[in-house]
Structure formats: structure tokens, C-alpha cells
Amino acid sequence: MHRNFRNAVMDIRDNDFMIEIVDHTLVIGNYDPIIPEKSLHIAEFVERVAEACNE
């Protein structure tokens, strides 16, 4: 885990957002039912993490 990845994870300011790292797998989700707005938020997070991993 490098600084850019850690920063992307720390930018999440949603209390319902769940992030786990199990071995080499990143698991993300939401404790509440996922509504369209939350799915967009999760997709934006995945995009930021992917960009951070390519740096």
C-alpha cells in the first residue's frame, strides 16, 4: 500500500462505506442498501483507487 492508495481510501467520508483488505483483495461495500447515488459514489472511489494503483 503506497501513499496515493492510502489517500484515495482516506478521502472516503461516508460512515456507511465499508472497506476491507483480505490478503490481496480489496472488498468495498455499503452497510445500507445500495441506492443509485451510493453506487455512483462507490464507482468514483474505485476509479480513484485504480488511478492511484497505476501511479
Side-chain angles (χ1 to χ4, degrees), residues 23-43:
D23 295 324
H24 297 288
T25 304
L26 179 67
V27 179
I28 59 172
N30 194 308
Y31 292 109
D32 293 332
I34 296 179
I35 58 175
E37 292 81 17
K38 292 284 185 176
S39 63
L40 181 59
H41 188 71
I42 291 171

Side-chain angles (χ1 to χ4, degrees), residues 6-55:
R6 197 168 42 250
N7 289 343
V9 170
M10 295 307 294
D11 283 344
I12 298 301
R13 302 285 184 226
D14 190 338
N15 292 335
D16 298 327
F17 207 65
M18 183 259 318
I19 303 169
E20 291 183 39
I21 299 174
V22 180
D23 295 324
H24 297 288
T25 304
L26 179 67
V27 179
I28 59 172
N30 194 308
Y31 292 109
D32 293 332
I34 296 179
I35 58 175
E37 292 81 17
K38 292 284 185 176
S39 63
L40 181 59
H41 188 71
I42 291 171
E44 290 169 350
F45 167 72
V46 170
E47 181 179 26
R48 283 194 306 273
V49 168
E51 289 173 357
C53 290
N54 287 329
E55 294 177 352

